[in-house]
Amino acid sequence: MVDYSELMSELDELYKNTPKHVDGGILGSMTTWPHRIGVEAFLRFIHVNGNDPFTFRAVAECESKLVREVGALFNAEVGLHTSGGTESNILAVFAARKAAKGETVIAPSTVHKSVDKACDLMNCKLLKIPTHPLKPVDLKTLEEYVLKYKPFLVIITAGTTETGVVDPVEEASELAEKHGFLLHVDAAYGGLLIPFLRKHGLIKTELKMSSGVTSITVDMHKNGMAPIPSSLLFFNNEELKEKVCFDMDYMPSGKSCGLLGTRPGGAVVAAYYTWRAIGLNGYEENALRMMRIAHLLHSELKQITGIEVYPFNLPIITFKSRRYSSDLLLNKLAERKLYLYKAPSLNALRVVIMPHHREEHLYALIKALRELHQL
Ligand code: 0PR
């Protein structure tokens, strides 16, 4: 006989020893503590297959409301829920590849690795424009690459993984119209920050489905605070979306959209109710608070002798130690239960301020860095 109570104690132990966002030590990951309404929604719909909107209508309803309501932030009307930024980016490349002839994709070197993965899977040639990690892609160079290599797709990023840089969406969209390439914008990280920060003049770029933009990735499990796995992929028309839907004749709906078959329907319901629970005002407040905390961390790190801190646009702070290598510092901080990520292109470390962070979480890091850099 299996002893459930033994299993439960084992689970309790595992849970106890797993870092939690509320403790404040998770400082490098783009994940956050999901909203409790989202958790509740996920639990209630834990049994639901998101691939079967016929039997489980709630999922289909939540997905279409989510696409409509979140999409309104970006003037986007068509889209689908996916398992994350990686799936959204893979599908964006797949749809573009079916819609346009060619095999070359162009992206700044700051693009997320999921695009390498997508191109590897689809056997397309990914050409990267050397781009400084702290700068957006240079438009003149982008145009030169486009004229020279004639890509079917260009991918830019609104909030890069390592440094939160926002590529010039409007200008790239104009280039797309002028030269006839498709344009995907990866806003997995920045999608639920940029519209709110722009409203306050903190970001200049307008992130929207303008006529030159083909698709946009926006993750709900990052700054959306929805439970993992959750992302949205928006397309600028229905035909493009149909390209990521496949025949599934035995299913009542007759088709299946996206990469997964059976999938967590609970994640879709959870994302929608998280979105409702936080609301536009909540997302705006989060974005402003995260920027305030980022400024605080930035100015504190600047004062520590032995640390070089880089400029930022979105709440991602990168810094380097003159005393320790990135790997050594990463491990020294992890010993103190402060978990950062690397920003390899700068040979630096990365702190991503997420919605759950409070000032005191950052003071623990500042204190540790001060101690480690004392003479
Ligand atoms: N696009 C951007 C701009 C991202 O920063 C990420 C994730 C993705 C797409 C992929 O999203 P999913 O992880 O939801 O598929 N960046 C995360 C981060 O930098 C997670 C991550 C980290 C993913 C390392 C892959 C990886 O190799 O924290």
Tab-separated table of all heavy atoms in Angstrom, residues 28-31 83-87 89 112-114 157 159-161 186-189 217 219 221-222 341 350 352, ligand 1:
chain	number	residue	atom	x	y	z
A	28	GLY	N	16.903	36.811	-11.162
A	28	GLY	CA	17.356	36.826	-12.552
A	28	GLY	C	16.316	36.286	-13.511
A	28	GLY	O	16.364	36.550	-14.711
A	29	SER	N	15.367	35.541	-12.985
A	29	SER	CA	14.398	34.855	-13.839
A	29	SER	C	13.286	35.803	-14.267
A	29	SER	O	12.928	36.728	-13.543
A	29	SER	CB	13.807	33.694	-13.039
A	29	SER	OG	12.663	33.196	-13.663
A	30	MET	N	12.744	35.532	-15.464
A	30	MET	CA	11.601	36.339	-15.914
A	30	MET	C	10.280	35.743	-15.453
A	30	MET	O	9.235	36.007	-16.021
A	30	MET	CB	11.610	36.432	-17.433
A	30	MET	CG	12.477	37.545	-17.941
A	30	MET	SD	12.467	37.609	-19.717
A	30	MET	CE	13.767	38.811	-19.976
A	31	THR	N	10.334	34.893	-14.439
A	31	THR	CA	9.088	34.334	-13.917
A	31	THR	C	8.658	35.130	-12.695
A	31	THR	O	9.456	35.862	-12.107
A	31	THR	CB	9.272	32.855	-13.514
A	31	THR	OG1	10.356	32.777	-12.569
A	31	THR	CG2	9.592	31.998	-14.723
A	83	SER	N	1.967	27.976	-25.254
A	83	SER	CA	2.589	27.555	-23.991
A	83	SER	C	3.706	28.488	-23.529
A	83	SER	O	4.252	28.311	-22.451
A	83	SER	CB	3.157	26.145	-24.146
A	83	SER	OG	4.126	26.146	-25.173
A	84	GLY	N	4.099	29.457	-24.366
A	84	GLY	CA	5.164	30.362	-23.930
A	84	GLY	C	5.777	31.098	-25.105
A	84	GLY	O	5.382	30.892	-26.269
A	85	GLY	N	6.736	31.939	-24.786
A	85	GLY	CA	7.383	32.743	-25.821
A	85	GLY	C	8.038	31.869	-26.890
A	85	GLY	O	8.044	32.208	-28.068
A	86	THR	N	8.586	30.747	-26.451
A	86	THR	CA	9.249	29.862	-27.416
A	86	THR	C	8.241	29.323	-28.427
A	86	THR	O	8.461	29.399	-29.639
A	86	THR	CB	9.951	28.699	-26.665
A	86	THR	OG1	10.915	29.271	-25.779
A	86	THR	CG2	10.634	27.753	-27.626
A	87	GLU	N	7.112	28.807	-27.943
A	87	GLU	CA	6.108	28.285	-28.890
A	87	GLU	C	5.587	29.406	-29.784
A	87	GLU	O	5.422	29.236	-30.995
A	87	GLU	CB	4.948	27.593	-28.160
A	87	GLU	CG	3.995	26.922	-29.178
A	87	GLU	CD	2.728	26.312	-28.572
A	87	GLU	OE1	2.611	26.242	-27.330
A	87	GLU	OE2	1.853	25.932	-29.360
A	89	ASN	N	7.090	32.140	-30.757
A	89	ASN	CA	8.093	32.511	-31.767
A	89	ASN	C	8.241	31.419	-32.833
A	89	ASN	O	8.379	31.722	-34.022
A	89	ASN	CB	9.437	32.810	-31.104
A	89	ASN	CG	9.424	34.144	-30.366
A	89	ASN	OD1	8.518	34.960	-30.557
A	89	ASN	ND2	10.408	34.382	-29.531
A	112	HIS	N	16.101	36.506	-29.059
A	112	HIS	CA	16.076	35.381	-28.109
A	112	HIS	C	16.413	34.053	-28.800
A	112	HIS	O	16.094	33.843	-29.967
A	112	HIS	CB	14.689	35.274	-27.449
A	112	HIS	CG	14.652	34.245	-26.356
A	112	HIS	ND1	14.120	32.987	-26.522
A	112	HIS	CD2	15.134	34.295	-25.091
A	112	HIS	CE1	14.256	32.306	-25.385
A	112	HIS	NE2	14.849	33.080	-24.507
A	113	LYS	N	17.009	33.151	-28.030
A	113	LYS	CA	17.462	31.848	-28.547
A	113	LYS	C	16.322	31.007	-29.129
A	113	LYS	O	16.576	30.079	-29.902
A	113	LYS	CB	18.135	31.045	-27.432
A	113	LYS	CG	19.434	31.643	-26.962
A	113	LYS	CD	20.584	31.205	-27.833
A	113	LYS	CE	21.917	31.710	-27.338
A	113	LYS	NZ	22.725	32.275	-28.410
A	114	SER	N	15.106	31.290	-28.724
A	114	SER	CA	13.986	30.508	-29.278
A	114	SER	C	13.877	30.712	-30.787
A	114	SER	O	13.321	29.868	-31.489
A	114	SER	CB	12.672	30.889	-28.589
A	114	SER	OG	12.462	32.280	-28.666
A	157	THR	N	12.899	42.643	-31.470
A	157	THR	CA	12.489	42.360	-30.090
A	157	THR	C	12.072	43.640	-29.376
A	157	THR	O	12.779	44.647	-29.441
A	157	THR	CB	13.663	41.702	-29.316
A	157	THR	OG1	14.228	40.683	-30.135
A	157	THR	CG2	13.201	41.102	-28.010
A	159	GLY	N	11.986	44.511	-25.978
A	159	GLY	CA	12.385	44.083	-24.635
A	159	GLY	C	13.268	42.850	-24.755
A	159	GLY	O	12.772	41.729	-24.634
A	160	THR	N	14.569	43.071	-25.018
A	160	THR	CA	15.448	41.910	-25.238
A	160	THR	C	15.703	41.161	-23.925
A	160	THR	O	15.616	41.739	-22.834
A	160	THR	CB	16.808	42.344	-25.846
A	160	THR	OG1	17.420	43.291	-24.957
A	160	THR	CG2	16.639	42.959	-27.217
A	161	THR	N	16.041	39.904	-24.084
A	161	THR	CA	16.204	39.003	-22.944
A	161	THR	C	17.304	39.458	-21.984
A	161	THR	O	17.125	39.410	-20.775
A	161	THR	CB	16.545	37.588	-23.472
A	161	THR	OG1	15.522	37.237	-24.399
A	161	THR	CG2	16.629	36.581	-22.376
A	186	ASP	N	8.993	40.182	-31.229
A	186	ASP	CA	8.996	39.374	-30.016
A	186	ASP	C	8.893	40.311	-28.804
A	186	ASP	O	9.881	40.906	-28.378
A	186	ASP	CB	10.281	38.536	-29.964
A	186	ASP	CG	10.357	37.705	-28.683
A	186	ASP	OD1	9.411	37.757	-27.878
A	186	ASP	OD2	11.383	37.011	-28.488
A	187	ALA	N	7.670	40.421	-28.291
A	187	ALA	CA	7.447	41.242	-27.090
A	187	ALA	C	7.080	40.319	-25.929
A	187	ALA	O	6.256	40.673	-25.082
A	187	ALA	CB	6.373	42.287	-27.346
A	188	ALA	N	7.695	39.122	-25.925
A	188	ALA	CA	7.405	38.142	-24.861
A	188	ALA	C	7.600	38.790	-23.493
A	188	ALA	O	6.747	38.702	-22.612
A	188	ALA	CB	8.317	36.924	-25.003
A	189	TYR	N	8.714	39.480	-23.345
A	189	TYR	CA	9.004	40.142	-22.070
A	189	TYR	C	8.379	41.547	-22.000
A	189	TYR	O	7.760	41.917	-21.009
A	189	TYR	CB	10.528	40.202	-21.853
A	189	TYR	CG	10.905	41.141	-20.737
A	189	TYR	CD1	10.627	40.814	-19.413
A	189	TYR	CD2	11.507	42.372	-21.010
A	189	TYR	CE1	10.937	41.697	-18.381
A	189	TYR	CE2	11.825	43.242	-19.983
A	189	TYR	CZ	11.536	42.910	-18.668
A	189	TYR	OH	11.837	43.773	-17.661
A	217	THR	N	4.531	38.456	-30.326
A	217	THR	CA	4.490	37.540	-29.165
A	217	THR	C	4.371	38.365	-27.882
A	217	THR	O	5.144	39.306	-27.691
A	217	THR	CB	5.816	36.726	-29.082
A	217	THR	OG1	5.895	35.852	-30.199
A	217	THR	CG2	5.899	35.918	-27.799
A	219	ASP	N	4.018	37.440	-23.744
A	219	ASP	CA	3.869	36.368	-22.740
A	219	ASP	C	2.998	36.804	-21.576
A	219	ASP	O	3.189	37.884	-21.000
A	219	ASP	CB	5.249	35.941	-22.210
A	219	ASP	CG	5.919	34.953	-23.151
A	219	ASP	OD1	5.399	34.740	-24.273
A	219	ASP	OD2	6.962	34.387	-22.767
A	221	HIS	N	2.845	34.690	-18.930
A	221	HIS	CA	3.486	34.154	-17.706
A	221	HIS	C	4.738	34.932	-17.293
A	221	HIS	O	5.439	34.519	-16.369
A	221	HIS	CB	3.742	32.645	-17.805
A	221	HIS	CG	4.703	32.205	-18.873
A	221	HIS	ND1	4.643	30.957	-19.442
A	221	HIS	CD2	5.730	32.821	-19.497
A	221	HIS	CE1	5.607	30.818	-20.339
A	221	HIS	NE2	6.270	31.943	-20.400
A	222	LYS	N	5.002	36.030	-17.964
A	222	LYS	CA	6.083	36.900	-17.490
A	222	LYS	C	5.408	38.086	-16.787
A	222	LYS	O	4.906	37.923	-15.682
A	222	LYS	CB	6.970	37.332	-18.680
A	222	LYS	CG	7.733	36.152	-19.313
A	222	LYS	CD	8.763	36.625	-20.314
A	222	LYS	CE	9.685	35.512	-20.768
A	222	LYS	NZ	9.075	34.451	-21.570
A	341	TYR	N	20.805	35.750	-13.155
A	341	TYR	CA	21.114	35.089	-14.425
A	341	TYR	C	22.306	35.803	-15.035
A	341	TYR	O	22.638	36.920	-14.643
A	341	TYR	CB	19.934	35.219	-15.409
A	341	TYR	CG	18.882	34.147	-15.325
A	341	TYR	CD1	18.630	33.442	-14.157
A	341	TYR	CD2	18.104	33.845	-16.443
A	341	TYR	CE1	17.632	32.481	-14.106
A	341	TYR	CE2	17.108	32.890	-16.391
A	341	TYR	CZ	16.874	32.210	-15.220
A	341	TYR	OH	15.892	31.265	-15.167
A	350	ARG	N	22.531	39.647	-14.665
A	350	ARG	CA	21.260	40.298	-14.981
A	350	ARG	C	20.290	40.147	-13.813
A	350	ARG	O	20.123	39.065	-13.263
A	350	ARG	CB	20.690	39.595	-16.220
A	350	ARG	CG	19.311	40.023	-16.610
A	350	ARG	CD	18.747	39.122	-17.713
A	350	ARG	NE	17.922	38.072	-17.138
A	350	ARG	CZ	17.121	37.256	-17.830
A	350	ARG	NH1	17.070	37.348	-19.148
A	350	ARG	NH2	16.398	36.346	-17.235
A	352	VAL	N	16.268	40.857	-13.227
A	352	VAL	CA	15.008	41.265	-13.865
A	352	VAL	C	14.025	41.591	-12.751
A	352	VAL	O	13.677	40.723	-11.948
A	352	VAL	CB	14.423	40.141	-14.759
A	352	VAL	CG1	13.196	40.641	-15.506
A	352	VAL	CG2	15.461	39.639	-15.744
B	1	0PR	N1	11.471	35.948	-26.125
B	1	0PR	C1	12.111	36.682	-25.196
B	1	0PR	C2	12.466	38.096	-25.495
B	1	0PR	C3	12.427	36.088	-23.954
B	1	0PR	O1	13.117	36.790	-23.045
B	1	0PR	C4	12.058	34.754	-23.717
B	1	0PR	C5	12.327	34.060	-22.414
B	1	0PR	C6	11.377	34.047	-24.730
B	1	0PR	C7	11.088	34.680	-25.912
B	1	0PR	C8	10.973	32.621	-24.544
B	1	0PR	O2	9.937	32.540	-23.637
B	1	0PR	P1	9.562	31.189	-22.879
B	1	0PR	O3	10.671	30.905	-21.918
B	1	0PR	O4	8.265	31.535	-22.266
B	1	0PR	O5	9.428	30.126	-23.909
B	1	0PR	N2	13.311	34.462	-21.595
B	1	0PR	C9	13.312	33.966	-20.249
B	1	0PR	C10	14.458	34.561	-19.483
B	1	0PR	O6	15.349	35.117	-20.105
B	1	0PR	C11	13.295	32.468	-20.078
B	1	0PR	C12	14.380	31.751	-20.657
B	1	0PR	C13	15.658	31.801	-20.172
B	1	0PR	C14	14.090	30.940	-21.717
B	1	0PR	C15	16.651	31.088	-20.778
B	1	0PR	C16	15.055	30.237	-22.341
B	1	0PR	C17	16.349	30.329	-21.889
B	1	0PR	O7	17.348	29.655	-22.538
B	1	0PR	O8	14.419	34.486	-18.269
